[in-house]
Amino acid sequence: MKIYLHLESDEIDEVAEAIITAISDWLKEGKSGAQLVNSNVDEGAEGGRSGWDIGLTIETSKKSILAKPLNFLYELAKKERQEFVVGIYDEAKASYENVCYFGYEEGKPDPYEVASYLGLPK
């Protein structure tokens, strides 16, 4: 399953550089299995999404893999006063399905609860 954790912000231009730098540094430090997302999506492309996607993607079927990225992004969200969205990317349909939000206002994500929302096995 391909899971995305993307910045959800109306102020993306103001925080993009700081978020990208922080994520890049974090990925260099550890072995999370996640990959940086930093792409500009044209309107109508990729399942109707448009705009700038910044965050992480993770390909996994294990819920334990989510804890480190969720905790890191939550701390980053608090620092930058931002929100993130977690969802599933269906490559066959080229569609995105937002599942839940976390961050500065939404609060701390529970990795086991998020995994349950995503339908990851116990």
Side-chain angles (χ1 to χ4, degrees):
M1 174 181 299
K2 192 167 190 172
I3 300 164
Y4 61 87
L5 301 97
H6 289 172
L7 179 64
E8 184 75 14
S9 176
D10 293 330
E11 306 161 351
I12 201 160
D13 292 329
E14 291 85 20
V15 297
E17 188 175 330
I19 299 286
I20 292 166
T21 299
I23 291 173
S24 295
D25 291 347
W26 180 76
L27 287 170
K28 288 176 190 172
E29 290 175 8
K31 297 178 180 159
S32 70
Q35 295 181 327
L36 173 67
V37 173
N38 177 11
S39 63
N40 218 347
V41 181
D42 293 330
E43 191 168 340
E46 300 271 352
R49 292 175 60 90
S50 64
W52 197 355
D53 285 337
I54 296 174
L56 295 170
T57 59
I58 304 168
E59 189 124 6
T60 188
S61 61
K62 298 178 183 178
K63 69 166 85 179
S64 61
I65 300 296
L66 292 177
K68 285 182 182 180
L70 284 171
N71 289 332
F72 164 72
L73 290 177
Y74 174 64
E75 292 302 319
L76 184 58
K78 286 192 322 185
K79 178 182 174 191
E80 298 293 334
R81 298 176 176 238
Q82 298 297 315
E83 303 297 314
F84 283 86
V85 60
V86 179
I88 301 167
Y89 177 66
D90 184 334
E91 291 180 285
K93 297 178 184 175
S95 66
Y96 291 83
E97 178 186 348
N98 294 347
V99 175
C100 63
Y101 297 83
F102 68 93
Y104 182 70
E105 290 183 15
E106 291 289 330
K108 186 173 183 172
D110 179 325
Y112 295 103
E113 194 171 293
V114 172
S116 177
Y117 295 156
L118 293 168
L120 293 176
K122 298 182 181 207

PDB file of all heavy atoms in Angstrom, residues 30-54:
ATOM      1  N   GLY A  30      17.981   8.792   9.489  1.00  0.00           N
ATOM      2  CA  GLY A  30      17.457   7.496   9.886  1.00  0.00           C
ATOM      3  C   GLY A  30      17.070   6.619   8.725  1.00  0.00           C
ATOM      4  O   GLY A  30      17.155   6.997   7.558  1.00  0.00           O
ATOM      5  N   LYS A  31      16.647   5.422   9.098  1.00  0.00           N
ATOM      6  CA  LYS A  31      16.203   4.446   8.109  1.00  0.00           C
ATOM      7  C   LYS A  31      14.709   4.239   8.272  1.00  0.00           C
ATOM      8  O   LYS A  31      14.268   3.300   8.908  1.00  0.00           O
ATOM      9  CB  LYS A  31      16.957   3.150   8.297  1.00  0.00           C
ATOM     10  CG  LYS A  31      18.433   3.301   8.058  1.00  0.00           C
ATOM     11  CD  LYS A  31      19.175   2.025   8.303  1.00  0.00           C
ATOM     12  CE  LYS A  31      20.650   2.279   8.035  1.00  0.00           C
ATOM     13  NZ  LYS A  31      21.516   1.354   8.658  1.00  0.00           N
ATOM     14  N   SER A  32      13.952   5.149   7.687  1.00  0.00           N
ATOM     15  CA  SER A  32      12.509   5.099   7.861  1.00  0.00           C
ATOM     16  C   SER A  32      11.803   4.363   6.728  1.00  0.00           C
ATOM     17  O   SER A  32      10.663   3.968   6.874  1.00  0.00           O
ATOM     18  CB  SER A  32      11.939   6.520   7.944  1.00  0.00           C
ATOM     19  OG  SER A  32      12.039   7.140   6.682  1.00  0.00           O
ATOM     20  N   GLY A  33      12.448   4.204   5.591  1.00  0.00           N
ATOM     21  CA  GLY A  33      11.786   3.607   4.436  1.00  0.00           C
ATOM     22  C   GLY A  33      10.881   4.581   3.708  1.00  0.00           C
ATOM     23  O   GLY A  33      10.235   4.231   2.734  1.00  0.00           O
ATOM     24  N   ALA A  34      10.845   5.815   4.165  1.00  0.00           N
ATOM     25  CA  ALA A  34      10.008   6.845   3.540  1.00  0.00           C
ATOM     26  C   ALA A  34      10.805   7.575   2.469  1.00  0.00           C
ATOM     27  O   ALA A  34      12.036   7.548   2.468  1.00  0.00           O
ATOM     28  CB  ALA A  34       9.523   7.834   4.592  1.00  0.00           C
ATOM     29  N   GLN A  35      10.077   8.222   1.566  1.00  0.00           N
ATOM     30  CA  GLN A  35      10.709   9.009   0.517  1.00  0.00           C
ATOM     31  C   GLN A  35      10.127  10.428   0.527  1.00  0.00           C
ATOM     32  O   GLN A  35       8.932  10.603   0.761  1.00  0.00           O
ATOM     33  CB  GLN A  35      10.471   8.384  -0.851  1.00  0.00           C
ATOM     34  CG  GLN A  35      11.124   7.037  -1.007  1.00  0.00           C
ATOM     35  CD  GLN A  35      10.883   6.453  -2.385  1.00  0.00           C
ATOM     36  OE1 GLN A  35       9.840   6.674  -2.982  1.00  0.00           O
ATOM     37  NE2 GLN A  35      11.845   5.708  -2.872  1.00  0.00           N
ATOM     38  N   LEU A  36      10.978  11.394   0.221  1.00  0.00           N
ATOM     39  CA  LEU A  36      10.560  12.790   0.144  1.00  0.00           C
ATOM     40  C   LEU A  36       9.658  13.006  -1.059  1.00  0.00           C
ATOM     41  O   LEU A  36       9.911  12.488  -2.143  1.00  0.00           O
ATOM     42  CB  LEU A  36      11.789  13.692   0.016  1.00  0.00           C
ATOM     43  CG  LEU A  36      11.524  15.179  -0.231  1.00  0.00           C
ATOM     44  CD1 LEU A  36      10.863  15.824   0.977  1.00  0.00           C
ATOM     45  CD2 LEU A  36      12.825  15.888  -0.573  1.00  0.00           C
ATOM     46  N   VAL A  37       8.603  13.778  -0.851  1.00  0.00           N
ATOM     47  CA  VAL A  37       7.740  14.230  -1.936  1.00  0.00           C
ATOM     48  C   VAL A  37       7.918  15.740  -2.011  1.00  0.00           C
ATOM     49  O   VAL A  37       7.762  16.439  -1.017  1.00  0.00           O
ATOM     50  CB  VAL A  37       6.252  13.906  -1.666  1.00  0.00           C
ATOM     51  CG1 VAL A  37       5.371  14.539  -2.730  1.00  0.00           C
ATOM     52  CG2 VAL A  37       6.033  12.424  -1.589  1.00  0.00           C
ATOM     53  N   ASN A  38       8.264  16.213  -3.191  1.00  0.00           N
ATOM     54  CA  ASN A  38       8.405  17.640  -3.442  1.00  0.00           C
ATOM     55  C   ASN A  38       8.063  17.836  -4.907  1.00  0.00           C
ATOM     56  O   ASN A  38       8.936  17.821  -5.764  1.00  0.00           O
ATOM     57  CB  ASN A  38       9.830  18.109  -3.138  1.00  0.00           C
ATOM     58  CG  ASN A  38      10.031  19.573  -3.458  1.00  0.00           C
ATOM     59  OD1 ASN A  38       9.079  20.305  -3.710  1.00  0.00           O
ATOM     60  ND2 ASN A  38      11.270  20.006  -3.471  1.00  0.00           N
ATOM     61  N   SER A  39       6.780  17.962  -5.194  1.00  0.00           N
ATOM     62  CA  SER A  39       6.367  18.037  -6.597  1.00  0.00           C
ATOM     63  C   SER A  39       5.266  19.060  -6.791  1.00  0.00           C
ATOM     64  O   SER A  39       4.427  19.266  -5.921  1.00  0.00           O
ATOM     65  CB  SER A  39       5.905  16.674  -7.081  1.00  0.00           C
ATOM     66  OG  SER A  39       4.775  16.250  -6.365  1.00  0.00           O
ATOM     67  N   ASN A  40       5.280  19.652  -7.940  1.00  0.00           N
ATOM     68  CA  ASN A  40       4.241  20.572  -8.353  1.00  0.00           C
ATOM     69  C   ASN A  40       3.314  19.799  -9.282  1.00  0.00           C
ATOM     70  O   ASN A  40       3.769  19.281 -10.299  1.00  0.00           O
ATOM     71  CB  ASN A  40       4.853  21.771  -9.071  1.00  0.00           C
ATOM     72  CG  ASN A  40       4.164  23.055  -8.734  1.00  0.00           C
ATOM     73  OD1 ASN A  40       3.084  23.054  -8.163  1.00  0.00           O
ATOM     74  ND2 ASN A  40       4.787  24.153  -9.094  1.00  0.00           N
ATOM     75  N   VAL A  41       2.048  19.690  -8.930  1.00  0.00           N
ATOM     76  CA  VAL A  41       1.089  18.893  -9.691  1.00  0.00           C
ATOM     77  C   VAL A  41       0.194  19.829 -10.492  1.00  0.00           C
ATOM     78  O   VAL A  41      -0.416  20.744  -9.942  1.00  0.00           O
ATOM     79  CB  VAL A  41       0.232  18.023  -8.738  1.00  0.00           C
ATOM     80  CG1 VAL A  41      -0.746  17.177  -9.523  1.00  0.00           C
ATOM     81  CG2 VAL A  41       1.122  17.150  -7.876  1.00  0.00           C
ATOM     82  N   ASP A  42       0.125  19.590 -11.796  1.00  0.00           N
ATOM     83  CA  ASP A  42      -0.739  20.401 -12.657  1.00  0.00           C
ATOM     84  C   ASP A  42      -2.195  20.098 -12.389  1.00  0.00           C
ATOM     85  O   ASP A  42      -2.555  18.965 -12.067  1.00  0.00           O
ATOM     86  CB  ASP A  42      -0.450  20.117 -14.135  1.00  0.00           C
ATOM     87  CG  ASP A  42       0.929  20.579 -14.555  1.00  0.00           C
ATOM     88  OD1 ASP A  42       1.417  21.559 -13.969  1.00  0.00           O
ATOM     89  OD2 ASP A  42       1.510  19.956 -15.453  1.00  0.00           O
ATOM     90  N   GLU A  43      -3.032  21.113 -12.528  1.00  0.00           N
ATOM     91  CA  GLU A  43      -4.470  20.948 -12.325  1.00  0.00           C
ATOM     92  C   GLU A  43      -5.000  19.871 -13.264  1.00  0.00           C
ATOM     93  O   GLU A  43      -4.664  19.821 -14.437  1.00  0.00           O
ATOM     94  CB  GLU A  43      -5.194  22.266 -12.598  1.00  0.00           C
ATOM     95  CG  GLU A  43      -6.632  22.228 -12.159  1.00  0.00           C
ATOM     96  CD  GLU A  43      -7.261  23.604 -12.151  1.00  0.00           C
ATOM     97  OE1 GLU A  43      -6.534  24.595 -12.118  1.00  0.00           O
ATOM     98  OE2 GLU A  43      -8.492  23.644 -12.183  1.00  0.00           O
ATOM     99  N   GLY A  44      -5.805  18.985 -12.717  1.00  0.00           N
ATOM    100  CA  GLY A  44      -6.396  17.915 -13.505  1.00  0.00           C
ATOM    101  C   GLY A  44      -5.540  16.668 -13.568  1.00  0.00           C
ATOM    102  O   GLY A  44      -6.008  15.608 -13.958  1.00  0.00           O
ATOM    103  N   ALA A  45      -4.293  16.759 -13.178  1.00  0.00           N
ATOM    104  CA  ALA A  45      -3.414  15.596 -13.212  1.00  0.00           C
ATOM    105  C   ALA A  45      -3.563  14.770 -11.947  1.00  0.00           C
ATOM    106  O   ALA A  45      -4.112  15.221 -10.943  1.00  0.00           O
ATOM    107  CB  ALA A  45      -1.964  16.050 -13.355  1.00  0.00           C
ATOM    108  N   GLU A  46      -3.069  13.555 -11.996  1.00  0.00           N
ATOM    109  CA  GLU A  46      -2.987  12.693 -10.811  1.00  0.00           C
ATOM    110  C   GLU A  46      -4.296  12.636 -10.026  1.00  0.00           C
ATOM    111  O   GLU A  46      -4.360  13.018  -8.865  1.00  0.00           O
ATOM    112  CB  GLU A  46      -1.865  13.163  -9.875  1.00  0.00           C
ATOM    113  CG  GLU A  46      -0.509  13.151 -10.521  1.00  0.00           C
ATOM    114  CD  GLU A  46       0.218  11.839 -10.376  1.00  0.00           C
ATOM    115  OE1 GLU A  46      -0.254  10.965  -9.639  1.00  0.00           O
ATOM    116  OE2 GLU A  46       1.251  11.693 -11.025  1.00  0.00           O
ATOM    117  N   GLY A  47      -5.351  12.167 -10.627  1.00  0.00           N
ATOM    118  CA  GLY A  47      -6.603  11.978  -9.905  1.00  0.00           C
ATOM    119  C   GLY A  47      -7.291  13.260  -9.513  1.00  0.00           C
ATOM    120  O   GLY A  47      -8.003  13.306  -8.516  1.00  0.00           O
ATOM    121  N   GLY A  48      -7.066  14.333 -10.266  1.00  0.00           N
ATOM    122  CA  GLY A  48      -7.762  15.580  -9.999  1.00  0.00           C
ATOM    123  C   GLY A  48      -7.063  16.493  -9.014  1.00  0.00           C
ATOM    124  O   GLY A  48      -7.554  17.565  -8.698  1.00  0.00           O
ATOM    125  N   ARG A  49      -5.888  16.114  -8.531  1.00  0.00           N
ATOM    126  CA  ARG A  49      -5.158  16.959  -7.587  1.00  0.00           C
ATOM    127  C   ARG A  49      -4.429  18.054  -8.331  1.00  0.00           C
ATOM    128  O   ARG A  49      -4.017  17.897  -9.464  1.00  0.00           O
ATOM    129  CB  ARG A  49      -4.146  16.129  -6.805  1.00  0.00           C
ATOM    130  CG  ARG A  49      -4.785  15.151  -5.871  1.00  0.00           C
ATOM    131  CD  ARG A  49      -3.744  14.273  -5.228  1.00  0.00           C
ATOM    132  NE  ARG A  49      -2.788  15.023  -4.464  1.00  0.00           N
ATOM    133  CZ  ARG A  49      -2.892  15.330  -3.181  1.00  0.00           C
ATOM    134  NH1 ARG A  49      -3.948  14.940  -2.517  1.00  0.00           N
ATOM    135  NH2 ARG A  49      -1.954  15.995  -2.550  1.00  0.00           N
ATOM    136  N   SER A  50      -4.240  19.159  -7.666  1.00  0.00           N
ATOM    137  CA  SER A  50      -3.413  20.216  -8.227  1.00  0.00           C
ATOM    138  C   SER A  50      -2.713  20.925  -7.085  1.00  0.00           C
ATOM    139  O   SER A  50      -3.148  20.867  -5.942  1.00  0.00           O
ATOM    140  CB  SER A  50      -4.251  21.201  -9.034  1.00  0.00           C
ATOM    141  OG  SER A  50      -5.167  21.860  -8.199  1.00  0.00           O
ATOM    142  N   GLY A  51      -1.605  21.582  -7.406  1.00  0.00           N
ATOM    143  CA  GLY A  51      -0.867  22.317  -6.387  1.00  0.00           C
ATOM    144  C   GLY A  51       0.462  21.673  -6.088  1.00  0.00           C
ATOM    145  O   GLY A  51       0.963  20.837  -6.824  1.00  0.00           O
ATOM    146  N   TRP A  52       1.020  22.052  -4.986  1.00  0.00           N
ATOM    147  CA  TRP A  52       2.349  21.628  -4.597  1.00  0.00           C
ATOM    148  C   TRP A  52       2.218  20.576  -3.511  1.00  0.00           C
ATOM    149  O   TRP A  52       1.661  20.827  -2.447  1.00  0.00           O
ATOM    150  CB  TRP A  52       3.093  22.833  -4.073  1.00  0.00           C
ATOM    151  CG  TRP A  52       4.567  22.715  -3.987  1.00  0.00           C
ATOM    152  CD1 TRP A  52       5.347  21.624  -4.224  1.00  0.00           C
ATOM    153  CD2 TRP A  52       5.466  23.758  -3.629  1.00  0.00           C
ATOM    154  NE1 TRP A  52       6.658  21.923  -4.038  1.00  0.00           N
ATOM    155  CE2 TRP A  52       6.765  23.232  -3.677  1.00  0.00           C
ATOM    156  CE3 TRP A  52       5.295  25.083  -3.273  1.00  0.00           C
ATOM    157  CZ2 TRP A  52       7.902  23.982  -3.367  1.00  0.00           C
ATOM    158  CZ3 TRP A  52       6.413  25.823  -2.975  1.00  0.00           C
ATOM    159  CH2 TRP A  52       7.704  25.284  -3.031  1.00  0.00           C
ATOM    160  N   ASP A  53       2.753  19.377  -3.748  1.00  0.00           N
ATOM    161  CA  ASP A  53       2.761  18.312  -2.743  1.00  0.00           C
ATOM    162  C   ASP A  53       4.132  18.256  -2.090  1.00  0.00           C
ATOM    163  O   ASP A  53       5.149  18.105  -2.771  1.00  0.00           O
ATOM    164  CB  ASP A  53       2.451  16.952  -3.374  1.00  0.00           C
ATOM    165  CG  ASP A  53       0.992  16.784  -3.721  1.00  0.00           C
ATOM    166  OD1 ASP A  53       0.156  17.482  -3.119  1.00  0.00           O
ATOM    167  OD2 ASP A  53       0.685  15.954  -4.584  1.00  0.00           O
ATOM    168  N   ILE A  54       4.133  18.377  -0.764  1.00  0.00           N
ATOM    169  CA  ILE A  54       5.363  18.280   0.023  1.00  0.00           C
ATOM    170  C   ILE A  54       5.081  17.334   1.169  1.00  0.00           C
ATOM    171  O   ILE A  54       4.060  17.450   1.846  1.00  0.00           O
ATOM    172  CB  ILE A  54       5.779  19.655   0.585  1.00  0.00           C
ATOM    173  CG1 ILE A  54       6.107  20.611  -0.551  1.00  0.00           C
ATOM    174  CG2 ILE A  54       6.975  19.510   1.524  1.00  0.00           C
ATOM    175  CD1 ILE A  54       6.386  22.019  -0.099  1.00  0.00           C
TER     176      ILE A  54
END
